[in-house]
Amino acid sequence: MENDEIELLAMQRLRNNKGKLNDKNVDCFVNGYNTCQLALFEIDNIIDILEYHREKCDNVKVLIDDSIHYGDLRRGYTQEEYTRIKRAQRISSAIRNFIDTLKDVRDEQDN
């Protein structure tokens, strides 16, 4: 997208927010949009983003465990907590596999 198209998108997003539409807001939106787009063109940037989300998934169990230990050491996981942990573990594993694939692709490009 060209900057003019991104500015139109920003104005559409901010149109109904009275008092929030000004040049600074639109310029900030354009810069953020362009930065996000650039991040998706570099494999290393994609890997960094995925690593961040993988770490968040890995922390789900830790956060739940901390909550249990703070509240009551005697109780186990609720069904909801157990489901959240299992889902986070599956997503983390999938992200890890995707990162490995991206690293292989990056290494093939470098050779």
Side-chain angles (χ1 to χ4, degrees):
M1 291 178 94
E2 298 294 322
N3 282 352
D4 292 339
E5 295 169 319
I6 299 168
E7 287 176 10
L8 288 174
L9 179 62
M11 286 191 265
Q12 288 174 347
R13 297 275 185 195
L14 298 171
R15 181 182 302 144
N16 294 326
N17 297 326
K18 296 183 191 284
K20 292 185 180 179
L21 182 61
N22 60 40
D23 288 342
K24 185 176 181 180
N25 294 84
V26 174
D27 289 343
C28 182
F29 184 91
V30 170
N31 288 335
Y33 186 90
N34 285 331
T35 299
C36 289
Q37 290 299 322
L38 288 175
L40 297 176
F41 287 115
E42 295 291 329
I43 289 180
D44 287 333
N45 292 338
I46 296 170
I47 290 171
D48 290 342
I49 292 167
L50 291 171
E51 280 290 347
Y52 170 81
H53 290 289
R54 186 196 56 76
E55 288 174 13
K56 289 291 186 184
C57 287
D58 288 346
N59 283 334
V60 167
K61 184 178 184 306
V62 172
L63 293 173
I64 291 173
D65 286 345
D66 288 348
S67 175
I68 290 172
H69 294 306
Y70 179 75
D72 185 359
L73 291 174
R74 294 171 292 181
R75 81 167 179 91
Y77 298 121
T78 65
Q79 184 60 40
E80 178 186 348
E81 291 168 338
Y82 182 76
T83 300
R84 286 177 50 209
I85 291 168
K86 288 299 173 191
R87 181 177 50 222
Q89 289 172 340
R90 288 183 64 201
I91 292 170
S92 177
S93 177
I95 291 173
R96 199 174 276 113
N97 290 337
F98 188 40
I99 289 170
D100 290 342
T101 300
L102 288 173
K103 286 179 179 178
D104 290 344
V105 168
R106 180 192 60 201
D107 293 344
E108 288 171 6
Q109 285 178 346
D110 290 343
N111 291 329

